[in-house]
Amino acid sequence: MGEGKEPIFRYGETEIQYLKQRDPKLGAIIDQIGPIERTVDDDLFSAIVHHIVGQQISTKAQQTIWRRMREDLGEINAETILAAGTERLQGFGMTFKKVEYIEDCARKAASGELDLEQLPQCSDKEIIDQLVSLKGIGVWTAEMILLFCQRQIVKDFFIKFTKIYKKGARSTVWLLTPRLIDYIFPFSRSLQRYA
């Protein structure tokens, strides 16, 4: 990591103005809160492990496990994972399955079967295909890694994201009304031009 500030997911005035224009109430909240900084992990191996750790647990639990790992192992890479061993990794609070997935990823990275140096030069589809070949990584997780680690806008990701959340949101009518959904989700469609 170094001494500097952690990298953040960048968005600009165009995206902010779109949301503010689309919904004045949301615009007022944006003005009140200001920019949101969402950190990203520039290290692909670390990002994969971090995503596996966070699957199906609360954000707080993920942060606790991740903090323990970083405090004990230092840098999260294939070598430190393999050197730690199964018991030590489980001691951070992970299930046996998650440890199995993480060790599998570490073995593939260490052997060169998963070429983390070459992967960023591949197409989105090639990266996703490589990532889903790892145990514990599905298409959704691979797309999240692309978005928040590689900072690539995955083609058609926002369409899929919109459909999933519209369906989920409409099934919980008390949470989001279709009108609110229609305000929020056109923004995701507008980002497709960057794909």
Side-chain angles (χ1 to χ4, degrees), residues 119-137:
L119 211 54
Q121 280 69 34
C122 296
S123 71
D124 287 352
K125 184 185 180 329
E126 291 168 328
I127 295 171
I128 290 168
D129 288 346
Q130 280 285 318
L131 292 176
V132 299
S133 74
L134 299 171
K135 292 180 180 180
I137 301 290

Side-chain angles (χ1 to χ4, degrees), residues 57-135:
I57 62 174
S58 72
T59 302
K60 183 71 173 162
Q62 179 188 31
Q63 290 169 345
T64 299
I65 293 168
W66 193 246
R67 180 184 44 77
R68 289 175 186 160
M69 289 179 74
R70 294 188 69 185
E71 286 173 357
D72 191 15
L73 302 177
E75 187 176 350
I76 307 297
N77 58 40
E79 293 75 26
T80 58
I81 292 295
L82 293 173
T86 304
E87 266 186 52
R88 189 167 163 201
L89 292 172
Q90 280 186 285
F92 299 130
M94 289 182 281
T95 65
F96 177 78
K97 273 293 183 204
K98 284 187 183 183
V99 170
E100 179 186 334
Y101 299 158
I102 291 168
E103 287 178 324
D104 177 65
C105 179
R107 279 191 293 277
K108 288 179 177 176
S111 73
E113 184 179 340
L114 176 65
D115 187 349
L116 297 172
E117 298 299 319
Q118 179 60 33
L119 211 54
Q121 280 69 34
C122 296
S123 71
D124 287 352
K125 184 185 180 329
E126 291 168 328
I127 295 171
I128 290 168
D129 288 346
Q130 280 285 318
L131 292 176
V132 299
S133 74
L134 299 171
K135 292 180 180 180

Side-chain angles (χ1 to χ4, degrees), residues 9 38 51 124 128 138-148 151-165 185 187-195:
F9 187 84
R38 199 243 190 243
H51 277 80
D124 287 352
I128 290 168
V139 172
W140 179 264
T141 302
E143 289 174 342
M144 293 297 98
I145 291 168
L146 274 174
L147 189 61
F148 293 113
R151 293 183 227 151
Q152 290 177 237
I153 303 297
V154 183
K155 186 170 174 44
D156 299 328
F157 167 76
F158 287 104
I159 292 172
K160 184 190 303 183
F161 182 81
T162 300
K163 287 178 182 175
I164 290 168
Y165 282 94
F185 291 106
F187 172 67
S188 64
R189 284 189 221 102
S190 74
L191 289 176
Q192 291 172 51
R193 69 176 180 263
Y194 300 112

